[in-house]
Structure formats: C-alpha cells, structure tokens
Amino acid sequence: MRWVFLGLAILTALVIRAMGTRGTVSDRRPLMAFSDMDFQPRYNPQAAGPFFADGRAMRSPPAGTVPFGGADYASDAGSPRQNPDFLREDDAYYRGKQGNGWVTANPLRVDMDLLQRGQERYGIFCAPCHGATGTGNGVMVQYGMVGVASITDALHALMPDGQYFDVISNGKGRMMPYGSQIKVRDRWAIIAYLRALARSQNASLSDVPESIRGELKP
Ligand code: HEC
C-alpha cells in the first residue's frame, strides 16, 4: 500500500511539474515531428538584427513618405482603399479654418449641381430640426425639441462659412455633430445651399432680375 501512495505522490508531482510550465516562454525549439515551415531564417517586425549599424532589422520609410490608402470612410474619395487625400492637410477644406480664423468663402465652386446636392442633403440632415426654411421650426419641434436655432436670419448671414462647417462637423451646444455622417464635400454643399436659402428669406425686389419680376405673385 505504501508504494501505491508513493507512486501516486510522484505522479501528482510530475503532472503539476508538466502543467506548471504552461505559459512560460522558452527560447528553445519545441520537439516537433513535422515543423511545417514554422521556423524560418527571417526577422520579425520591429525586431533587432545584426546587419544594419543601428541594430534594427527594419528600415524606416524615407522622409516625406505618404501613406497610400487607409480606412477613411468620411472622405470624399469614396473607396476606403484608395484615398489620395488621406492626410487631410488642407485646413480650409477639412476644418473650415484659415490660420486662427474661419474660412469666409466656400472652397468649392458653387454651381447649380452643388446647390441641388446641398438642398437634398439639407432636407435629409438639417430640415427635421431647422425646418425647410432654416428658421428652426422643423418637425422635431412639434415633437418637443426646444431651442433649435434659426440659421438663415440676418444674424447668421454674418456667420462665416467655416463656422457653419465647424458646427456641422463638431456640433454646438445641444446640437449633435454630423461629421461622421455627412461627407466633407456634402457639408460644403449644404453651406452653399444655406446661403441661397438665407438670401431667399431676406430678399428684396431688387434681388430678382428685372426680366422675371413680372412672374412674381403678391
Ligand atoms: C436634432 C436636431 C438638429 C439637427 C438635425 C440639426 N441641428 Fe443645428 N442645431 C440644433 C440645435 C438644438 C441648435 C442650438 C444649439 C445650442 O445653441 O445649444 C442648433 C444650432 C445650429 C447652428 C448654430 C447656430 C448659432 O447661432 O450658433 C448651426 C449653424 C446649425 N445648427 C446648423 C445645422 C445644419 C447645417 C444642420 C444639418 C447638417 C443641422 N444644424 C442639423 C438642432 C439640430
């Protein structure tokens, strides 16, 4: 009986010894019948190597290297894989800022296409709160949303385009940011449309070309 106990004790000690080393790192190769090319004469990323004088196996990219690609879904380029404007260095276009001030003029060429795009995007993203005319009486107000700003009145005519861009991108006060949902180009399109909308709210007869004044209804 004594030998059985002793055998059991030795077996337990062996099992604990074998299991106890699990998770410990060893430099030695494990014994493998088939190595399946697991071990190759190469360097791991960011590992040390004796070949170069600085002791690094990897080389750093040459100065001025620009990353090509990168998952940048909010960009204009469309495809997340091919985005030549990955770095977004253009402060005016991507942040609405010029030095310490706001961009004062829309960086895009304002034409009918841009205005129509802006009108469509405004209807989707802004009109629910700010209303079709931008006076802050959108449908959300009927559902209890309070304090929605008018954005097409005379006061906001003084607000620079870049500041509109900033509010859309980062939100303001109780307004949520829409930077992740509205592409940069579309934000500028909305701003161009807002300018037209504000003009239409505060227009006088002299703003209408003489040739079509007759079409105006009182
Ligand atoms: C969910 C409702 C909602 C939506 C959608 C919304 N806004 Fe707003 N917006 C607000 C509220 C509320 C404020 C007032 C924020 C405050 O001052 O606390 C505001 C404020 C603003 C201001 C600042 C006005 C000021 O006097 O500084 C601008 C500009 C603006 N919105 C533009 C937009 C544009 C452009 C869109 C569409 C891309 C948009 N908003 C979408 C609710 C909304």
Side-chain angles (χ1 to χ4, degrees):
M1 200 60 189
R2 191 190 307 165
W3 297 111
V4 175
F5 278 129
L6 190 66
L8 215 60
I10 291 173
L11 195 70
T12 312
L14 281 175
V15 168
I16 289 174
R17 172 72 191 85
M19 305 302 263
T21 37
R22 283 177 62 94
T24 340
V25 182
S26 165
D27 286 340
R28 298 219 305 271
R29 267 188 198 188
L31 296 171
M32 290 171 99
F34 304 101
S35 71
D36 289 338
M37 294 171 76
D38 278 352
F39 304 97
Q40 297 170 28
R42 59 161 175 81
Y43 292 106
N44 286 329
Q46 309 203 345
F51 188 76
F52 292 104
D54 62 3
R56 292 183 299 180
M58 282 171 82
R59 299 295 78 209
S60 23
T65 303
V66 174
F68 184 79
D72 192 359
Y73 293 93
S75 104
D76 299 2
S79 159
R81 271 189 219 106
Q82 290 193 355
N83 178 11
D85 220 354
F86 182 61
L87 289 182
R88 302 178 145 221
E89 278 176 329
D90 188 346
D91 246 5
Y93 184 62
Y94 286 107
R95 282 166 281 277
K97 284 179 184 158
Q98 232 162 17
N100 288 329
W102 299 113
V103 165
T104 48
N106 202 312
L108 297 178
R109 197 168 63 87
V110 179
D111 55 13
M112 207 54 195
D113 275 352
L114 192 77
L115 286 175
Q116 275 166 355
R117 175 75 181 170
Q119 183 178 33
E120 186 208 22
R121 295 291 110 176
Y122 179 86
I124 294 168
F125 289 107
C126 320
C129 290
H130 290 284
T133 55
T135 49
N137 62 350
V139 70
M140 288 298 289
V141 176
Q142 292 168 28
Y143 286 91
M145 179 117 198
V146 288
V148 180
S150 162
I151 49 175
T152 46
D153 54 17
L155 178 73
H156 288 88
L158 302 173
M159 200 162 137
D161 279 9
Q163 200 175 352
Y164 271 105
F165 186 87
D166 186 68
V167 174
I168 302 175
S169 310
N170 304 314
K172 182 184 176 187
R174 275 160 295 122
M175 180 176 143
M176 298 281 281
Y178 284 86
S180 60
Q181 294 164 51
I182 309 177
K183 290 180 179 178
V184 174
R185 192 172 193 285
D186 286 342
R187 284 176 238 167
W188 288 116
I190 288 174
I191 295 162
Y193 174 68
L194 269 174
R195 290 295 180 211
L197 198 60
R199 184 77 180 266
S200 76
Q201 299 299 297
N202 308 293
S204 66
L205 194 62
S206 58
D207 287 323
V208 184
E210 253 173 83
S211 55
I212 54 168
R213 272 184 207 167
E215 294 170 27
L216 291 176
K217 297 195 184 86

